[in-house]
């Protein structure tokens, strides 16, 4: 079997797409026959302009299995920059694969266009298409931009691309059960719901001794700082209310970081520290030394479908989780986790009252860690990929 493995992000990049697809590729290799081959086509690390790591243009995993990385221009998380970057990825990926034959194309996509690239290649190669959908791009982008004229234009472009892409897939995996109703019209594909999971790096952590909690309690967020997280709409407001009792540590970068910085300066807030992206090992240290772990999704209809990958990291620690989420993420948390402070997104008054009433406790989430091991999820997902390739 000859497999093309498309992912915009791959190690050593720092993001959920990289962690998911790097670990999946490693598991998939274990299921292959000696004569099977895989071409991974991805990018050089580019998730954050403030965090750079070197990687080879072409890397051999084993005989017949290679990782090909494409250099793309810096994009600063802006929409125009991302379009320019994906255009480079799209055409170079087509060039890399034009003289090769494949039986199966796997494409993992959060912004639709990697999935579209997979569909285009499938048409030319007459291969089978397995899509891993991590976000509903059209719904998200039109929800974020409120201009009716702009949304009309976006829908005119994105709807045909979406129909073409999803209509060609034999198998579609959705990382969130909340996406299911959106895909009911695409009846050709078989569906699975392999979520994000917990990496062995987190599952093998040794528990740290509890330290003194006489000073201000620390609330930590680590990850992207974009419009989707809406941190500028909640962190300054709640930080002011908790200025005497809590400090916030925000670790990461993204397109909306400047908005957060501006709000902190305007309101002269001094109990929030902003740090650039760090390696996972360093991030784990921050998590282990935190009192609370924080998550927030902006108040948009599209985000009621999503299941943030960050929850799977947070769930491995015994810390209370503060989560401003709604929709499916809220349902998932209630069904699968304990020791939570849940609040309506952007509602700092509700969050303040719940934090003040909360009685601090640490609880190890043993059932959650066992249920959502990335290793076990990857085994099942790899088997489903192989099964599609084996179909006659």
């Amino acid at each position: 079997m000859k497999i093309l493995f498309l992912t915009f992000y791959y190690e050593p990049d720092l993001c959920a797409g990289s962690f998911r697809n790097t670990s999946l590729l490693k598991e998939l290799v274990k299921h292959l026959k000696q004569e099977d081959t895989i071409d991974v086509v991805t990018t050089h690390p580019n998730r954050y302009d403030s965090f750079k790591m070197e990687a080879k243009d072409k890397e051999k995993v084993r005989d017949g299995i290679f990782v090909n990385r494409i250099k793309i221009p810096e994009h600063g998380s802006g929409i125009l920059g991302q379009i320019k970057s994906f255009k480079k990825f799209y055409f170079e990926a087509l060039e890399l694969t034009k003289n090769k034959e494949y039986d199966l194309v796997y494409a993992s996509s959060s912004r639709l266009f990697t999935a579209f690239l997979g569909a285009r290649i499938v048409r030319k190669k007459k291969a089978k298409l397995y899509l891993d959908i991590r976000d509903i791009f059209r719904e998200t982008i039109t929800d974020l931009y409120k201009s009716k004229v702009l949304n009309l234009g976006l829908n005119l472009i994105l709807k045909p691309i979406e129909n073409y892409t999803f209509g060609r897939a034999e198998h579609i995996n959705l990382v969130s059960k909340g996406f299911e109703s959106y895909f009911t019209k695409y009846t050709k594909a078989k569906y699975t719901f392999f979520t994000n999971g917990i990496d062995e790096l987190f599952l093998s952590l040794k528990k740290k001794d509890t330290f003194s909690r006489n000073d201000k309690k620390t609330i930590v967020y680590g990850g992207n700082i974009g419009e989707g997280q809406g941190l500028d709409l909640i962190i300054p407001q709640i930080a002011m209310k908790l200025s005497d009792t809590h400090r916030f540590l925000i670790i990461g970068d993204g397109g909306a970081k400047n908005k957060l910085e501006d709000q902190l300066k305007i309101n002269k807030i001094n109990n929030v520290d902003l740090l650039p992206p760090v390696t996972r090992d360093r991030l784990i240290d921050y998590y282990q030394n935190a009192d609370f772990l924080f998550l927030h999704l902006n108040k948009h209809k599209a985000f009621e479908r999503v299941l943030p990958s960050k929850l799977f990291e947070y769930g491995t620690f015994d810390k209370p989780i503060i989560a401003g989420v709604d929709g499916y993420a809220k349902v998932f948390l209630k069904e699968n986790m304990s020791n939570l402070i849940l609040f309506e997104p952007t509602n700092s008054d509700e969050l303040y009252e719940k934090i003040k009433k909360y009685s601090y406790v640490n609880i190890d989430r043993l059932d959650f860690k066992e249920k959502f091991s990335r290793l076990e999820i990857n085994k099942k997902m790899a088997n489903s990929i192989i099964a599609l390739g084996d179909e006659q």
Side-chain angles (χ1 to χ4, degrees):
M1 187 189 312
K2 297 177 181 179
I3 300 173
L4 175 61
F5 192 104
L6 296 171
T7 172
F8 198 76
Y9 297 113
Y10 194 81
E11 68 176 14
D13 223 338
L14 295 177
C15 63
S18 171
F19 304 146
R20 178 177 180 82
N21 286 295
T22 302
S23 63
L24 177 62
L25 188 279
K26 290 176 180 176
E27 182 61 37
L28 187 58
V29 169
K30 299 176 186 177
H31 295 250
L32 298 181
K33 299 173 184 175
Q34 193 61 40
E35 65 270 21
D36 293 337
T37 65
I38 301 180
D39 285 333
V40 178
V41 177
T42 185
T43 63
H44 278 269
N46 69 93
R47 185 64 182 88
Y48 300 114
D49 289 342
S50 58
F51 186 91
K52 297 297 183 185
M53 292 190 73
E54 294 300 317
K56 296 178 180 179
D57 290 343
K58 189 165 187 174
E59 180 181 342
K60 183 178 179 180
V61 178
R62 74 166 207 207
D63 288 347
I65 301 174
F66 294 90
V67 177
N68 303 274
R69 294 185 178 89
I70 296 167
K71 285 187 171 69
I72 62 171
E74 292 188 359
H75 49 78
S77 298
I79 188 69
L80 293 178
Q82 290 184 51
I83 291 171
K84 183 180 178 182
S85 295
F86 186 79
K87 183 179 177 182
K88 178 82 180 296
F89 176 63
Y90 179 89
F91 286 109
E92 290 214 15
L94 290 178
E95 183 66 22
L96 277 170
T97 59
K98 71 176 182 179
N99 295 321
K100 297 189 176 183
E101 296 300 321
Y102 299 104
D103 303 300
L104 174 68
V105 175
Y106 164 87
S108 183
S109 191
S110 65
R111 294 188 180 92
L112 178 61
F113 295 103
T114 303
F116 174 67
L117 171 61
R120 294 288 293 169
I121 292 173
V122 159
R123 184 185 67 84
K124 294 180 179 181
K125 308 293 184 184
K126 295 183 171 59
K128 292 170 183 171
L129 179 60
Y130 188 116
L131 295 180
D132 177 45
I133 301 301
R134 308 194 316 272
D135 197 5
I136 301 176
F137 179 73
R138 183 172 68 87
E139 186 176 67
T140 301
I141 199 75
T142 54
D143 198 14
L144 286 174
Y145 294 101
K146 297 302 182 184
S147 166
K148 290 183 178 179
V149 174
L150 179 59
N151 281 345
L152 178 63
L154 285 170
N155 276 313
L156 284 173
I157 296 168
L158 295 177
K159 264 190 177 181
I161 293 174
E162 196 176 67
N163 290 334
Y164 175 90
T165 301
F166 300 147
R168 284 192 173 272
E170 280 84 9
H171 191 118
I172 298 177
N173 180 71
L174 305 174
V175 300
S176 171
K177 193 77 172 175
F179 295 164
E180 186 175 18
S181 61
Y182 190 89
F183 283 82
T184 52
K185 67 178 180 178
Y186 303 108
T187 57
K188 176 185 175 182
K190 177 183 177 182
Y191 287 87
T192 48
F193 299 90
F194 298 120
T195 65
N196 280 295
I198 307 165
D199 288 317
E200 185 60 30
L201 175 65
F202 288 86
L203 293 175
S204 60
L205 293 174
K206 291 182 179 179
K207 188 174 180 180
K208 281 196 172 184
D209 293 335
T210 302
F211 51 87
S212 173
R213 301 187 183 278
N214 295 325
D215 299 323
K216 286 184 178 181
K217 285 184 164 36
T218 302
I219 300 174
V220 171
Y221 169 80
N224 191 46
I225 307 173
E227 294 294 340
Q229 288 72 39
L231 296 186
D232 57 299
L233 302 176
I234 187 65
I235 292 296
Q237 295 81 353
I238 190 61
M240 283 189 285
K241 290 179 169 68
L242 297 174
S243 59
D244 294 332
T245 55
H246 295 72
R247 61 183 288 264
F248 290 78
L249 187 58
I250 311 299
I251 306 160
D253 204 348
K257 186 175 182 178
N258 61 325
K259 289 186 177 182
L260 177 58
E261 290 173 327
D262 289 346
Q263 286 300 311
L264 295 175
K265 288 177 183 177
I266 289 169
N267 292 285
K268 298 179 180 179
I269 295 168
N270 56 20
N271 61 327
V272 178
D273 294 320
L274 300 181
L275 294 180
V278 296
T279 63
R280 294 185 99 187
D281 288 341
R282 187 74 186 98
L283 187 60
I284 285 170
D285 287 338
Y286 285 116
Y287 289 164
Q288 287 182 318
N289 290 319
D291 295 287
F292 298 89
L293 299 174
F294 184 87
L295 177 81
H296 185 260
L297 291 178
N298 211 337
K299 198 174 178 64
H300 290 283
K301 194 72 176 174
F303 296 143
E304 293 181 12
R305 296 184 187 270
V306 305
L307 184 58
S309 60
K310 186 61 57 181
L311 292 175
F312 295 92
E313 288 183 4
Y314 284 178
T316 62
F317 298 90
D318 63 359
K319 318 290 182 179
I321 295 171
I322 301 172
V325 296
D326 216 335
Y328 181 69
K330 186 175 183 179
V331 171
F332 178 87
L333 282 169
K334 287 182 175 180
E335 290 179 349
N336 293 286
M337 279 202 216
S338 58
N339 201 15
L340 303 167
I341 299 175
L342 298 175
F343 69 100
E344 180 188 16
T346 73
N347 191 334
S348 63
D349 291 334
E350 181 189 9
L351 175 55
Y352 175 74
E353 292 301 323
K354 288 193 171 182
I355 288 177
K356 299 305 287 185
K357 292 176 183 177
Y358 175 77
S359 181
Y360 196 89
V361 64
N362 296 113
I363 299 175
D364 199 350
R365 302 178 178 92
L366 296 174
D367 290 343
F368 181 80
K369 289 189 281 188
E370 182 177 347
K371 184 175 181 181
F372 292 101
S373 161
R374 174 100 73 184
L375 179 62
E376 295 305 313
I377 291 170
N378 280 344
K379 284 179 181 177
K380 295 174 184 177
M381 191 167 178
N383 279 326
S384 74
I385 293 170
I386 296 294
L388 177 61
D390 286 339
E391 287 180 7
Q392 298 300 319

